[in-house]
């Protein structure tokens, strides 16, 4: 029995990826040597099975599935009693050991914000990007004068890393960098937390309704948003709604606020926001970090505070922000996420909600619950950590199998509108700098004192730059929206937190900056990066290739991390974009790439 089935090809599945609840789905599987074939569809939340008999046509069996209810489904085939599931790369294969195929069904009419597709994001850690003198108020914070120094990284006498040294980045400093961001092709800026907080990372919210005074006041923020808007840049802020700081209006463990906090009294209006095991010193906290008390997962008062009239979201969206990134969204229940999204969308369908999810968000199980992020009422996008990991593995190993598998899987699992909205990253404030990862070939220091002095040699840096060009090409040119972590375009180095959070410096060597400008311009010039499909996904040893469909024209991309040069077979003549030449044959050396399209005969 020979099986041929590819779920990301319309030759076999009429809709690529997830389907809406109003769509009929046609599936065609080719099986040589079978007399009958059935498709068994399982609804994930109920375990309910539905069996469809295939209509035989030669060696092929055709199935017509009517519109299905929203939800996550899994399916497999049985040909003459033998199971057919998917192999490691997602193709049809015979065997009981094979996995089921996935089918996500979402609400008809659901779309992503149009202005997000085709854009370029830029992530800024506010304390470390740009500092304008005379703006922002230190308000008792410990301000560093050596802004290009190493962030403090050693624990104090109590064994805690306090993250209380500030470099003074502020809203006005960011605003004055607008032209720089514009030159880089940036259309969306994602800011790490801007709420008042004790620490420099500000994930320990002190007051949701106030800006951290070191960043500036409401006037400074409004000026930033307005300048961005005048330059077609949207601002996305970090929504930290899973926990607060212990030093906050709401918990007030140290009595630094005039409020009666939950830690101080059971009569506090905020007491119900938290979960105490033994009042007041034993309470639930994020990952057991006691300075980050967790919010009660089913607290209507807190949810109303965030999403209600006059609440947190209303405050910031009325100030003109373009979206919110939800920190640790898998620790926020679905009902709350729906409320957040509904509130955000009340300010316009162009506003975006992005979730922090480190795995495949279409089938994510968090704390024993299957999440519903993309059934239609929750997220527009998530941070694409699986693609990041696969790209880096490709670069370091010289083998493209994992990237090939990941790309095929994401095309098959996500709704098309989400696929082109995925937030493609190579590094964030939570991961080591991509240049360091590549330069050290993944072998980074693990002891903090050695991390502080970890620097790339000139050879390592030169190799890393070549590798990063190839990695960022994949980041920018596959489906999704690329997000540059501030300074990556300026060859910034650094291991994990806090060494990945040094102050922004413009490098005299413009090689990477100019490369990122080129990639941004490429996205701007071609509509395929907004709505085009990613197709022709393939690999050959260390060569990975794909295409983006631009109407009647396809742009082809190939990256080679293998040990030997690879030939690309071309039919006729092609135009290689980066080199600006017409070619009849393409040879890609190790750690190199090609971007080309076929030349139409005159």
């Amino acid at each position: 029995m020979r099986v041929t089935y590819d779920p990301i090809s319309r030759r076999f599945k009429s809709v690529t990826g997830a389907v809406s609840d109003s769509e009929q789905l046609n599936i065609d599987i080719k099986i040589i040597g079978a007399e009958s074939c059935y498709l068994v569809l399982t609804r994930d939340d109920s375990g309910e099975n539905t069996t469809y008999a295939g209509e035989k046509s030669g060696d092929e069996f055709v199935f017509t599935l009517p519109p299905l209810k929203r939800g996550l489904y899994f399916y497999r085939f049985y040909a003459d009693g033998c199971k057919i599931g998917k192999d490691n790369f997602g193709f049809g294969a015979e065997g009981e050991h094979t996995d089921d195929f996935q089918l996500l069904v979402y609400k008809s009419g659901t779309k992503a914000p149009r202005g997000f597709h085709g854009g370029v994001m830029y992530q800024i850690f506010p304390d470390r990007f740009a500092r304008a003198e005379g703006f922002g108020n230190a308000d008792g914070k410990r301000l560093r004068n050596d802004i290009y120094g190493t962030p403090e990284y050693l624990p104090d006498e109590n064994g805690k890393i306090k993250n209380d040294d500030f470099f003074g980045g502020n809203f006005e400093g960011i605003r004055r960098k607008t032209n720089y961001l514009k030159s880089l092709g940036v259309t969306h800026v994602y800011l790490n937390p801007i709420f008042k907080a004790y620490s420099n990372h500000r994930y320990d919210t002190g007051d949701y309704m106030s800006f951290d005074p070191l960043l500036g006041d409401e006037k400074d923020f409004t000026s930033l948003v307005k300048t961005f808007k005048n330059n077609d840049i949207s601002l996305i802020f970090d929504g930290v709604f899973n926990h607060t700081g212990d030093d906050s209006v709401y918990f007030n463990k140290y009595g630094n606020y005039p409020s009666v906090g939950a830690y101080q009294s059971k009569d506090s209006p905020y007491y119900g926001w938290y979960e105490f095991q033994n009042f007041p010193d034993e309470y639930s906290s994020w990952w057991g970090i006691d300075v980050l008390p967790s919010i009660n997962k089913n607290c209507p008062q807190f949810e109303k505070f965030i999403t209600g009239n006059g609440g947190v979201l209303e405050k910031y969206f009325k100030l003109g922000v373009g979206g919110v990134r939800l920190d640790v969204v898998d620790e926020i229940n679905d009902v709350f996420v729906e409320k957040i999204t509904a509130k955000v969308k009340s300010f316009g369908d162009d506003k975006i909600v992005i979730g922090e999810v480190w795995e495949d968000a279409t089938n994510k199980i968090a704390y024993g619950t299957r999440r519903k992020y993309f059934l239609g009422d929750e997220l527009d996008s998530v941070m694409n950590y699986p693609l990041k990991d696969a790209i880096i593995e490709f670069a370091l190993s010289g083998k493209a199998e994992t990237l090939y598998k990941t790309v095929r899987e994401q095309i098959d699992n996500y709704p098309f509108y989400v696929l082109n909205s995925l937030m493609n990253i190579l590094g964030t404030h939570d991961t080591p700098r991509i240049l360091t990862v590549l330069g050290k070939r993944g072998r980074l220091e693990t002891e903090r004192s050695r991390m502080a002095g970890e620097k790339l040699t000139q050879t390592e840096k030169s190799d890393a730059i070549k590798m990063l060009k190839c990695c960022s090409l994949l980041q920018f040119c596959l489906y999704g929206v690329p997000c540059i972590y501030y300074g990556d375009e300026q060859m910034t180095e650094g291991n994990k937190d806090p060494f990945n959070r040094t102050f922004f410096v413009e490098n005299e060597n413009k090689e990477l900056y100019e490369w990122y400008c080129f990639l941004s311009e490429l996205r701007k010039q071609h509509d395929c990066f907004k709505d085009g499909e990613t197709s022709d996904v393939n690999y050959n040893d260390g060569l990975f290739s794909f295409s983006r469909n631009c109407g009647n024209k396809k742009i082809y991309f190939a990256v080679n991390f293998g040990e030997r040069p690879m030939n690309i077979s071309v039919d006729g003549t092609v135009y290689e974009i980066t080199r600006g030449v017409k070619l009849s044959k393409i040879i890609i050396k190790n750690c190199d790439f090609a971007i080309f399209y076929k030349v139409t005969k005159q």
Side-chain angles (χ1 to χ4, degrees), residues 169-422:
N170 52 30
F171 294 141
E172 178 60 17
I174 297 171
R175 191 190 71 80
R176 294 181 186 183
K177 284 284 190 181
T178 300
N179 288 339
Y180 172 81
L181 297 170
K182 188 76 172 176
S183 73
L184 199 55
V186 172
T187 58
H188 295 77
V189 168
Y190 154 47
L191 293 183
N192 288 111
I194 53 178
F195 309 130
K196 184 177 182 179
Y198 169 80
S199 75
N200 52 43
H201 56 68
R202 300 187 174 97
Y203 281 95
D204 53 334
T205 306
D207 184 353
Y208 287 106
M209 303 304 283
S210 299
F211 295 105
D212 194 285
L214 190 56
L215 292 173
D217 55 23
E218 187 168 308
K219 180 181 177 182
D220 299 325
F221 183 76
T222 303
S223 178
L224 170 62
V225 171
K226 183 179 179 180
T227 301
F228 272 6
K229 186 175 182 180
N230 290 340
N231 286 274
D232 299 316
I233 297 174
S234 173
L235 190 150
I236 298 168
F237 75 101
D238 216 330
V240 188
F241 304 140
N242 171 71
H243 50 266
T244 69
D246 62 348
D247 187 9
S248 65
V249 171
Y250 321 105
F251 204 75
N252 208 7
K253 187 173 183 177
Y254 312 104
N256 291 330
Y257 290 86
S259 61
V260 177
Y263 181 86
Q264 296 168 303
S265 172
K266 292 183 179 181
D267 294 327
S268 167
Y270 308 113
Y271 180 77
W273 286 20
Y274 304 94
E275 294 179 301
F276 289 91
Q277 289 77 48
N278 186 13
F279 181 83
D281 289 315
E282 294 180 17
Y283 48 86
S284 298
S285 57
W286 186 70
W287 284 29
I289 302 171
D290 63 359
V291 297
L292 301 174
S294 298
I295 296 294
N296 185 333
K297 304 304 179 190
N298 298 290
C299 180
Q301 293 85 3
F302 180 75
E303 292 178 4
K304 184 177 180 181
F305 175 74
I306 300 297
T307 64
N309 293 333
V312 174
L313 291 174
E314 185 170 294
K315 172 184 173 70
Y316 293 96
F317 279 90
K318 280 189 173 181
L319 291 175
V321 300
V324 59
R325 176 261 195 189
L326 299 180
D327 184 54
V328 291
V329 69
D330 53 0
E331 300 189 28
I332 303 173
N333 66 53
D334 285 302
V335 172
F336 190 16
V337 177
E338 287 183 13
K339 289 179 181 178
I340 290 171
T341 300
K343 186 66 177 183
V344 169
K345 298 300 182 181
S346 73
F347 290 93
D349 291 338
D350 61 323
K351 307 301 182 185
I352 192 163
V353 182
I354 302 171
E356 180 194 11
V357 181
W358 288 57
E359 304 83 10
D360 185 325
T362 64
N363 52 39
K364 166 85 174 183
I365 296 176
Y367 302 95
T369 300
R370 181 81 75 179
R371 302 311 301 263
K372 302 175 181 179
Y373 297 132
F374 295 119
L375 298 189
D377 295 318
E378 295 193 23
L379 304 177
D380 295 308
S381 174
V382 289
M383 302 174 76
N384 201 349
Y385 277 97
L387 183 64
K388 174 192 81 73
D389 294 342
I391 290 173
I392 292 173
E393 180 180 324
F394 176 36
L396 297 181
S397 71
K399 297 178 180 178
E401 287 92 336
T402 298
L403 179 59
Y404 179 64
K405 178 179 185 292
T406 300
V407 168
R408 283 185 52 84
E409 195 170 73
Q410 293 194 331
I411 292 173
D412 191 27
N413 289 356
Y414 282 89
F416 181 67
Y417 76 91
V418 175
L419 193 69
N420 277 344
S421 298
L422 290 175

